[in-house]
Amino acid sequence: MNENPNFKKETMAFIDAIESFFSTNGVDYHLNFLKNWLNPPRNEFDFSPQKHPAQLLVFYEKLVPLFDYSDLVFNHIEADKAFIEAISADECGVEREMVLLEYCPKLLSSGEVKNPKLTFLDIFLFFQSDTYKLVYKEWLLAALENNLDLDWDQYVAAFYENTKKMLEACWLIHERIITRNSFKSIDRYYHMAIFESTSPLAFEQELFHDPFKVIEFFFSLDNLGGHKTYLKNWYKAALAEEKCLSDVADYFFLYNQFTKLLNAGFLIMAKKLTYQGTPPKSLIAALDQSKNSDTHKSLCEVNTLAAVHIENPYLFVTSFFIPGKIKQLRLGLLEWFYAAFSTKSSIKLLDKEFLFEQYESMLMIMEAFFLIITNPPLAEIEERYYYGE
């Protein structure tokens, strides 16, 4: 790894120790190795580390520095702010990792996944690195003599559980700092990983490279006010148990268009794209009409988005288009779809707050996309600001 001049030398030593530990195998292998070391299988056909002393010694020699350097970095020197910031991830980043990482942490809390520093503060709350090293040295000697008979009381279990959490936290640091997310090599397949089980529509190659064409087409069909009216009618029909929509083809088409909008929004967020095109002529005409007449103001009125997102709709795209929210909304729209075309089913028994949240989300998506394509194209120098970087 190239040395980061913003990190302290103690931090770099810790990073090097992590890189060495994961240089041959991933975290799942190491967790399994640790488990077999401290919980050896009780039959002659097992492959426990005790039967491979060289491997056990190498594992031990690479494990011990992790205790030393992490204790030093997080407890005994002034906080390396650049490093702490680099190993942390926001909600959007964590959602992305949970889809693409080879191994997702199972023992860390959501707060620890976002900020692995919390893991190290926890494991060194009662024990220092010297204590861990002493215990593991005893276990190493016992294992090499094939005489490991751990008394699994609360004291011993704490060391084992803390070590597993430390390895998961080190793995997150490895992916975020050392490999800089090794899964980025499959970025162009990310949309398939997210939507393969929920999207019936495949993007053409042209739309994959320029998802704004989906939004342009959407607003070439109708203005903002018209789409809002269709959405409201769909929502009301889905709520009404005794009523169903008769113009099935129109709403099936609308459902597919919303599906494409969600796909497009995710690609825009993932690639940090900004609109450089020209709005449809029909939309420009509607804008001019609304500016010149109070009667037609509702055609292009934005009244659901928060003020900060009206000012910068790209911030809304960044915060909304993450896998969890998209999947949840996709399932919700599917429920609307079935309910709106049936007199025997309704969504009215579902949680009212959740239903309105879905409805409001669709309004905000349309408004954000409307603002994006009706605003002037961004200069390159402005793009980083619009994505909040």
Side-chain angles (χ1 to χ4, degrees):
M1 182 188 124
N2 295 327
E3 184 169 345
N4 189 321
N6 296 321
F7 294 161
K8 297 181 178 181
K9 62 179 183 180
E10 296 88 355
T11 301
M12 292 305 304
F14 179 40
I15 293 173
D16 289 340
I18 294 175
E19 186 172 19
S20 174
F21 187 79
F22 292 112
S23 60
T24 55
N25 292 288
V27 65
D28 50 348
Y29 171 87
H30 289 303
L31 287 172
N32 193 53
F33 190 95
L34 180 67
K35 175 184 175 182
N36 289 336
W37 175 8
L38 302 183
N39 299 275
R42 301 296 183 182
N43 65 72
E44 58 180 323
F45 302 106
D46 71 77
F47 296 93
S48 60
Q50 288 83 335
K51 293 191 175 182
H52 304 273
Q55 293 181 19
L56 183 58
L57 186 59
V58 169
F59 181 87
Y60 167 80
E61 290 179 341
K62 289 187 174 184
L63 176 68
V64 166
L66 296 180
F67 290 112
D68 270 334
Y69 290 122
S70 60
D71 193 11
L72 178 64
V73 167
F74 293 106
N75 291 306
H76 292 94
I77 64 170
E78 186 178 349
D80 190 337
K81 295 181 180 179
F83 176 64
I84 300 300
E85 182 179 353
I87 66 175
S88 302
D90 58 16
E91 182 179 350
C92 180
V94 170
E95 289 279 358
R96 179 177 173 75
E97 288 177 339
M98 293 306 103
V99 174
L100 292 177
L101 275 179
E102 178 186 350
Y103 175 91
C104 298
K106 301 177 177 63
L107 305 173
L108 304 185
S109 67
S110 58
E112 290 172 329
V113 172
K114 291 180 181 178
N115 185 1
K117 171 187 175 181
L118 301 177
T119 304
F120 296 98
L121 295 180
D122 180 56
I123 68 173
F124 292 119
L125 184 62
F126 299 108
F127 311 113
Q128 292 187 335
S129 58
D130 287 343
T131 309
Y132 284 99
K133 288 162 58 181
L134 179 62
V135 168
Y136 271 98
K137 185 175 182 179
E138 293 176 352
W139 293 350
L140 171 68
L141 295 175
L144 292 175
E145 296 172 359
N146 202 18
N147 189 31
L148 191 66
D149 185 19
L150 294 176
D151 181 11
W152 279 104
D153 57 21
Q154 188 174 2
Y155 180 74
V156 173
F159 285 99
Y160 176 54
E161 295 299 324
N162 284 351
T163 303
K164 291 193 294 181
K165 290 184 63 175
M166 181 190 72
L167 294 184
E168 288 195 340
C170 286
W171 173 250
L172 285 179
I173 294 173
H174 180 271
E175 291 298 283
R176 293 172 183 174
I177 299 293
I178 299 172
T179 63
R180 299 195 181 280
N181 290 334
S182 57
F183 52 73
K184 282 187 176 179
S185 61
I186 60 170
D187 261 2
R188 66 196 188 96
Y189 300 113
Y190 183 50
H191 67 295
M192 291 189 292
I194 297 299
F195 296 121
E196 63 180 357
S197 62
T198 58
S199 176
L201 302 173
F203 263 18
E204 299 88 347
Q205 194 65 22
E206 180 186 10
L207 297 181
F208 178 71
H209 290 301
D210 185 8
F212 289 107
K213 291 186 180 298
V214 173
I215 302 171
E216 289 176 347
F217 178 74
F218 183 77
F219 284 109
S220 72
L221 300 172
D222 206 341
N223 52 56
L224 181 60
H227 283 306
K228 284 185 175 182
T229 299
Y230 263 93
L231 183 66
K232 181 176 68 175
N233 292 340
W234 181 9
Y235 183 55
K236 290 168 65 177
L239 283 170
E241 188 172 355
E242 69 286 348
K243 180 182 177 182
C244 67
L245 293 168
S246 57
D247 43 352
V248 175
D250 287 350
Y251 281 90
F252 181 71
F253 179 74
L254 182 64
Y255 169 77
N256 284 341
Q257 290 308 306
F258 277 128
T259 298
K260 284 192 173 186
L261 286 182
L262 294 176
N263 281 318
F266 173 76
L267 289 173
I268 292 168
M269 181 279 297
K271 296 183 175 185
K272 294 192 184 311
L273 302 176
T274 51
Y275 183 60
Q276 303 294 331
T278 303
K281 292 181 180 179
S282 58
L283 185 58
I284 295 176
L287 279 170
D288 293 339
Q289 193 176 24
S290 65
K291 289 177 182 177
N292 299 325
S293 172
D294 291 337
T295 305
H296 297 96
K297 185 178 179 182
S298 61
L299 296 176
C300 301
E301 187 175 11
V302 175
N303 51 21
T304 308
L305 279 176
V308 65
H309 292 149
I310 294 176
E311 173 70 20
N312 181 357
Y314 288 96
L315 286 181
F316 170 78
V317 172
T318 302
S319 63
F320 183 85
F321 285 97
I322 58 177
K325 290 183 179 180
I326 296 173
K327 288 183 178 180
Q328 187 178 58
L329 189 54
R330 291 297 302 274
L331 291 173
L333 289 179
L334 196 59
E335 290 173 334
W336 290 21
F337 183 73
Y338 290 138
F341 299 126
S342 172
T343 56
K344 296 181 180 180
S345 61
S346 168
I347 60 174
K348 69 179 182 180
L349 296 179
L350 300 178
D351 181 77
K352 298 297 187 295
E353 184 177 349
F354 172 68
L355 289 175
F356 182 74
E357 184 180 313
Q358 288 181 320
Y359 177 60
E360 190 176 51
S361 293
M362 294 310 303
L363 291 174
M364 291 190 292
I365 288 171
M366 289 192 293
E367 290 184 353
F369 285 158
F370 172 80
L371 291 173
I372 285 173
I373 69 169
T374 55
N375 283 338
L378 296 175
E380 289 186 11
I381 194 170
E382 295 177 286
E383 291 183 10
R384 289 178 63 83
Y385 161 74
Y386 264 69
Y387 275 99
E389 295 184 350

